[in-house]
Amino acid sequence: MQYGFFDDVRREYVITNPRTPWPWINYLGNEDFFSLISNTAGGYSFYKDAKFRRLTRYRYNNVPMDSGGRYFYIREGGSVWSPGWKPCKTDLEYYECRHGMGYTRITGLKNNLEAELLFFVPLQTRAEVQKVTLRNTSRETKKLQLFSFVEWCLWNAATDMENFQRNFSTGEVEVEGSVIYHKTEYRERRNHYAYYSVNQPVQGFDTDRESFFGLYNGFDDPQTVREGKPRNTVAHGWSPIASHYLEVELEPGNSRELIFLLGYEENEPEEKWESKGIINKSKARETISRFNSVEKVDNAFAALRAYWDQLLGNFRVKTEEEKLDRMVNIWNQYQCMITFCFSRSASYFESGIGRGMGFRDSNQDLIGFVHQIPERARERIIDIASTQFPDGSCYHQYQPLTKKGNNEIGGGFNDDPLWLILGTTAYIKETGDFGILDAAVPFDNEPGSEVPLFDHLTVSFDHVINNRGPHGLPLIGRADWNDCLNLNCFSDDPNESFQTTENRSEGSKAESLMIAGLFVVCGRDYAELCRRLGKIEEARRVLTHVDRMVEAIKQHGWDGEWFLRAYDYFGNKIGSKENEEGQIFIESNGWCSMAGIGLEEGMTEKALNAVKERLDCEHGIVLNNPAYSQYYIEYGEISSYPPGYKENAGIFCHNNPWIIIGETVLGRGDRAWEYFRKICPSYSEAISDLHKVEPYVYAQMIAGKDAFRPGEAKNSWLTGTAAWNFYTISQYILGIRPSYDGLIIDPCIPPEWEHYRVTRRFRGSTYHITVKNPERRMKGVKAITLNGEPITDNVVPLLPAGSECEVEVTL
Ligand code: BGC
């Protein structure tokens, strides 16, 4: 069953039934001010950091689901309703939610009154605009009452949920005209405040939650709204909110537009106060004045649309697959921007207080984002590298507000350093900016410890070499890419974190074949970079280590039909036919195939055939098989999940692309495409009931074949799946791959594809590429012409900036 449809022309997903199987959300803002918004206007806002600077309150995992948001209540005659259906849940005559690129438009109709809500965060603005349009479609004059509502979070989203003995006494607000200011803790250590305004005089307001709702009422039934009477309360402690009250009269056929603004500002310590106890509001006033008319708001909205036109114009494809095109041209790229901004911090599955920016996660996010805004990718690379230690190890996560490594999580994940090589080389291939390697980057953010970024890559590479186990394979540390393969944890205490506890590591023999494969891929990339820089000795040294690793993998990492996954603490095999459960895993087979290890000996082909046979199912490729049916203390969290979920034989979408790229190494375009399509969300739209989460973005996990409900997805939006799938489809299936010298053209497609066209902006020029497949091949470029002239290899050279060219490719 479907709950809406794709509107590709407007680049929107249109939800026509508010009762989606799970809240289907969108993100507003892509710089500093962010909001999450569901199809019924639930969600919250924050500034930079969802943990430390949460602006409005939201209740995760509550009853009912999706509690808290920016709500509008319309009272007309005796009836009360919300344009987004929730929270009132009054039946509407019409409902529609359009999630677009950085905006959401929700329309509700009741009793011939149409209410349209447009939410967006304008570019370079620390505020969410809410444009409310009320239209009287009846033949009578309408008199209605409108109440707005948001609830303030007391800034730190973690303590906001627990320290009630303090929180209930600290809340403070100010009300000035139509603007409600939230200033809790501003009197002491904070120099920031939030505000909620409307561009017209109000007839009342409320800022005290209990007075607004009545102590025992829910969001669906505020007492003031039911009675049609605001209380004009000024909150002192308890829970401050912001609600405007407006009386609106509408002639038949007339409409009225109101502009609400939910904003955030910071003041310098010496400029905090206007007068004793009264905050200096000049910055808020300035922002409000930028959006105080419909015209100004419409212009800001048009600028946002133009911004996305430009961004999405960097890569466009036209194939015969409509569902593919809409993902590549619109939603997959959009999701890459979102994962770039948020890493794994705030979604409807990530509470915003658990995780900050991940070292490995953010590096991987770059490979799907770098072609959009390379300057921001550059800044991110430097932020990430600044959290590294001199020996190449690094903090697993850092907080976006402070950009400092997160001590609570620590480090010790031995795959982490390598991803810096992946992210940095992707950036240089896209931009040609070798200069980034000279940027002075500190270790652990310690002033004075700066070295050129290039040295960070060296220590990243060396960290693996310096941490090898008995077979010459990389030691795993706390875990590798699979956070849940905790081979040194040995936890029997449910209060211990699997990831941060390392009960034994001295003398550990736990080695990872996934890191080994990753090392070979990144090592070769790093060596190539060194060669380009004229560092021939270093390139040689690196390749010697890479070759040794390849040998170690062939010798100790091959199980006969596929690559092993790991050796455990005691040196026993994991991911082997000798194991009773968990005989084969996706990650090591993906990375070793991507590296083409044992290609000549037929290892790659065998491994991928085994993956097909044992891991593939209707909804995608599961992580391991057979699933673990019990807890193995020596394996850790992976075996804590019930079979078929998450890292225990779930379809972890993030790593399916590794197999897909492996298939393209073998030239099996049919299989690559089959796998790609299985996890591509637009292809699951018709089974939204089962799939549950948004059909326009990737989810981290789809329940695997051993699960109770195979095909049910969880953890949408913030997943490396977004970047990896964009990388895979654009560079390995459609085969348009940035390199230091130009665009490599190397498609690997299903034989039934006759032709497609890609427009790619690259280093300032535009390449219009037509790929023709008259002989129904899967791989192999037979001929290429550039502006009609044949070129000898499959690298289309760099062109003078600003030029356009036609490239014709025949397979
Ligand atoms: C984490 C990744 C990790 C993956 C697999 C995700 O939740 O963000 O860093 O690689 O899980 O465990």
Side-chain angles (χ1 to χ4, degrees):
M1 180 177 162
Q2 288 190 204
Y3 292 82
F5 59 92
F6 287 92
D7 180 340
D8 295 336
V9 174
R10 295 165 74 156
R11 294 198 293 248
E12 294 172 337
Y13 191 81
V14 189
I15 300 162
T16 50
N17 177 353
R19 294 170 177 83
T20 47
W22 185 257
W24 286 2
I25 73 162
N26 194 12
Y27 286 82
L28 315 177
N30 55 30
E31 285 150 349
D32 292 332
F33 187 104
F34 298 107
S35 301
L36 282 72
I37 181 165
S38 72
N39 58 309
T40 56
Y44 60 93
S45 303
F46 63 90
Y47 177 74
K48 280 190 182 171
D49 193 314
K51 178 175 179 181
F52 289 131
R53 221 37 74 75
R54 185 80 63 99
L55 306 185
T56 56
R57 217 174 247 171
Y58 181 74
R59 288 159 182 76
Y60 274 93
N61 195 17
N62 218 274
V63 178
M65 186 53 202
D66 196 21
S67 285
R70 62 295 270 160
Y71 292 142
F72 289 96
Y73 299 91
I74 295 173
R75 184 171 189 276
E76 198 199 351
S79 77
V80 174
W81 57 284
S82 306
W85 182 58
K86 276 192 76 177
C88 292
K89 295 205 295 185
T90 311
D91 282 338
L92 300 177
E93 281 141 35
Y94 179 80
Y95 158 91
E96 178 187 275
C97 167
R98 290 178 171 264
H99 285 317
M101 306 288 102
Y103 67 89
T104 287
R105 195 191 293 272
I106 300 177
T107 309
L109 178 78
K110 178 103 192 146
N111 307 328
N112 289 316
L113 178 69
E114 188 186 89
E116 181 187 306
L117 317 174
L118 171 66
F119 302 93
F120 70 103
V121 174
L123 299 170
Q124 283 113 45
T125 302
R126 294 170 169 186
E128 174 185 308
V129 169
Q130 306 169 350
K131 181 177 158 196
V132 177
T133 308
L134 302 166
R135 288 190 196 95
N136 180 357
T137 59
S138 77
R139 289 160 194 271
E140 282 120 49
T141 301
K142 281 185 174 286
K143 282 189 177 174
L144 54 108
Q145 298 165 293
L146 178 73
F147 296 79
S148 69
F149 169 84
V150 297
E151 181 177 7
W152 301 116
C153 177
L154 306 188
W155 309 115
N156 180 325
T159 55
D160 185 64
M161 293 196 309
E162 54 186 32
N163 196 4
F164 303 112
Q165 61 81 26
R166 170 177 163 84
N167 297 348
F168 287 159
S169 294
T170 56
E172 286 189 298
V173 298
E174 272 181 43
V175 182
E176 188 189 80
S178 300
V179 193
I180 297 164
Y181 293 87
H182 176 224
K183 61 170 185 178
T184 300
E185 293 183 348
Y186 189 79
R187 59 166 63 234
E188 25 121 353
R189 293 162 299 171
R190 294 187 184 275
N191 63 348
H192 46 262
Y193 60 90
Y195 60 92
Y196 192 33
S197 68
V198 57
N199 68 336
Q200 327 222 337
V202 294
Q203 285 74 51
F205 62 87
D206 272 293
T207 69
D208 176 61
R209 189 178 80 191
E210 190 179 321
S211 314
F212 182 71
F213 283 106
L215 188 54
Y216 295 103
N217 292 0
F219 288 115
D220 58 328
D221 185 25
Q223 195 169 306
T224 52
V225 179
R226 195 197 308 156
E227 292 169 7
K229 263 203 305 254
R231 303 287 197 272
N232 300 334
T233 51
V234 175
H236 295 277
W238 298 109
S239 291
I241 61 157
S243 171
H244 305 94
Y245 168 72
L246 292 121
E247 290 168 359
V248 180
E249 194 171 311
L250 278 176
E251 296 298 317
N254 276 9
S255 61
R256 173 95 173 267
E257 283 152 319
L258 304 157
I259 294 148
F260 294 83
L261 210 61
L262 175 66
Y264 168 91
E265 296 294 352
E266 288 173 356
N267 282 332
E268 291 302 318
E270 58 282 2
E271 289 172 353
K272 273 177 83 163
W273 305 103
E274 199 164 282
S275 57
K276 192 164 179 2
I278 304 295
I279 48 181
N280 174 356
K281 308 179 180 70
S282 54
K283 287 192 180 161
R285 287 193 191 110
E286 198 215 307
T287 307
I288 291 168
S289 73
R290 281 174 52 213
F291 302 103
N292 59 4
S293 73
V294 170
E295 198 194 347
K296 289 179 189 172
V297 166
D298 290 350
N299 286 341
F301 186 61
L304 181 70
R305 301 273 292 183
Y307 173 82
W308 276 102
D309 282 343
Q310 155 71 24
L311 277 188
L312 296 177
N314 291 341
F315 192 104
R316 292 194 59 76
V317 69
K318 176 87 189 77
T319 66
E320 289 150 67
E321 295 273 335
E322 185 186 42
K323 291 179 181 161
L324 172 67
D325 291 0
R326 64 171 58 117
M327 287 310 296
V328 175
N329 294 334
I330 307 171
W331 293 99
N332 195 180
Q333 293 198 64
Y334 181 59
Q335 190 179 0
C336 285
M337 164 68 93
I338 301 300
T339 56
F340 171 81
C341 291
F342 289 80
S343 196
R344 308 295 171 264
S345 66
S347 71
Y348 267 31
F349 296 85
E350 301 278 8
S351 64
I353 57 176
R355 310 209 256 174
M357 314 296 281
F359 193 98
R360 78 157 80 91
D361 293 332
S362 288
N363 269 307
Q364 290 172 82
D365 292 343
L366 287 173
I367 63 172
F369 173 76
V370 65
H371 70 292
Q372 292 189 29
I373 315 180
E375 302 75 36
R376 291 186 67 188
R378 188 184 208 274
E379 190 187 334
R380 176 64 51 79
I381 290 169
I382 289 172
D383 287 349
I384 295 172
S386 305
T387 64
Q388 194 171 29
F389 294 102
D391 71 349
S393 63
C394 39
Y395 281 107
H396 197 47
Q397 288 164 22
Y398 70 94
Q399 285 307 128
L401 194 67
T402 59
K403 297 191 174 179
K404 296 263 165 62
N406 189 335
N407 267 321
E408 284 162 38
I409 310 291
F413 297 77
N414 282 350
D415 64 313
D416 269 340
L418 288 175
W419 301 107
L420 184 64
I421 298 178
L422 181 91
T424 309
T425 51
Y427 167 79
I428 301 174
K429 286 177 196 164
E430 179 68 34
T431 58
D433 173 18
F434 287 91
I436 190 177
L437 296 169
D438 300 326
V441 181
F443 289 111
D444 192 14
N445 281 294
E446 213 32 74
S449 67
E450 292 81 1
V451 296
L453 177 67
F454 179 83
D455 296 8
H456 283 263
L457 303 190
T458 313
V459 295
S460 294
F461 180 79
D462 286 351
H463 187 263
V464 175
I465 299 174
N466 296 335
N467 291 277
R468 280 176 296 175
H471 300 100
L473 296 166
L475 288 170
I476 198 167
R478 288 189 203 279
D480 60 19
W481 170 86
N482 188 333
D483 267 342
C484 302
L485 195 61
N486 318 113
L487 304 182
N488 300 315
C489 182
F490 292 90
S491 179
D492 54 11
D493 175 355
N495 295 317
E496 273 174 358
S497 151
F498 282 111
Q499 264 111 60
T500 56
T501 311
E502 202 174 76
N503 291 322
R504 298 191 207 170
S505 64
E506 277 304 293
S508 170
K509 296 179 180 165
E511 297 171 302
S512 159
L513 267 303
M514 182 266 154
I515 304 184
L518 175 68
F519 174 83
V520 172
V521 172
C522 292
R524 287 184 186 142
D525 237 9
Y526 172 56
E528 168 66 5
L529 182 69
C530 294
R531 213 178 51 72
R532 302 259 162 183
L533 296 169
K535 297 179 191 280
I536 305 300
E537 252 326 291
E538 175 68 349
R540 217 173 274 145
R541 177 185 80 93
V542 168
L543 288 178
T544 309
H545 282 296
V546 167
D547 290 345
R548 260 184 229 153
M549 188 64 77
V550 170
E551 278 319 303
I553 295 172
K554 285 186 186 169
Q555 214 181 327
H556 305 292
W558 181 247
D559 196 50
E561 298 292 324
W562 57 80
F563 294 99
L564 293 176
R565 177 63 178 87
Y567 286 94
D568 70 11
Y569 177 88
F570 308 101
N572 298 322
K573 292 176 184 170
I574 299 178
S576 160
K577 55 181 176 303
E578 293 167 20
N579 298 116
E580 210 171 299
E581 301 187 322
Q583 293 179 336
I584 173 170
F585 281 71
I586 196 169
E587 305 100 318
S588 47
N589 286 296
W591 278 100
C592 292
S593 303
M594 283 163 79
I597 292 168
L599 197 60
E600 304 79 35
E601 298 95 320
M603 287 176 171
T604 313
E605 190 177 344
K606 271 193 186 164
L608 291 177
N609 288 348
V611 166
K612 175 77 188 155
E613 195 183 312
R614 291 166 176 256
L615 299 181
D616 184 34
C617 72
E618 188 189 345
H619 302 285
I621 310 168
V622 301
L623 193 143
N624 56 301
N625 183 264
Y628 293 117
S629 62
Q630 63 176 76
Y631 178 52
Y632 294 87
I633 194 168
E634 68 275 30
Y635 298 165
E637 187 171 5
I638 187 169
S639 59
S640 75
Y641 284 113
Y645 294 100
K646 292 281 287 178
E647 281 89 339
N648 185 16
I651 297 158
F652 218 90
C653 299
H654 184 143
N655 53 33
N656 277 225
W658 301 342
I659 297 297
I660 301 175
I661 298 176
E663 288 290 353
T664 66
V665 170
L666 288 183
R668 300 198 292 207
D670 48 354
R671 199 164 277 178
W673 172 241
E674 180 195 337
Y675 287 145
F676 184 88
R677 207 181 38 195
K678 274 189 186 174
I679 60 162
C680 184
S682 55
Y683 286 84
S684 305
E685 190 188 16
I687 53 159
S688 287
D689 273 5
L690 170 65
H691 190 74
K692 220 172 161 110
V693 296
E694 299 90 338
Y696 42 92
V697 289
Y698 283 96
Q700 179 206 57
M701 196 248 343
I702 302 172
K705 55 186 174 179
D706 309 285
F708 176 69
R709 201 174 292 126
E712 183 183 68
K714 289 185 187 130
N715 208 352
S716 54
W717 284 97
L718 300 187
T719 160
T721 313
W724 274 105
N725 274 286
F726 185 74
Y727 181 75
T728 301
I729 186 74
S730 60
Q731 301 200 20
Y732 289 89
I733 295 179
L734 300 170
I736 315 295
R737 197 177 313 148
S739 77
Y740 299 113
D741 305 315
L743 276 181
I744 298 175
I745 313 284
D746 186 21
C748 185
I749 57 174
E752 60 276 11
W753 284 13
E754 268 178 70
H755 54 81
Y756 58 91
R757 212 170 139 75
V758 170
T759 301
R760 176 69 156 95
R761 272 195 221 124
F762 180 61
R763 310 249 192 126
S765 313
T766 307
Y767 297 72
H768 302 283
I769 304 161
T770 307
V771 177
K772 294 186 176 157
N773 188 19
E775 293 172 30
R776 299 290 196 270
R777 290 166 181 268
M778 295 203 272
K779 193 172 165 131
V781 171
K782 197 159 136 193
I784 304 190
T785 59
L786 171 61
N787 291 330
E789 298 294 320
I791 55 175
T792 48
D793 58 10
N794 66 340
V795 185
V796 184
L798 298 171
L799 301 173
S803 46
E804 298 221 358
C805 68
E806 281 292 333
V807 179
E808 214 174 282
V809 182
T810 311
L811 298 187

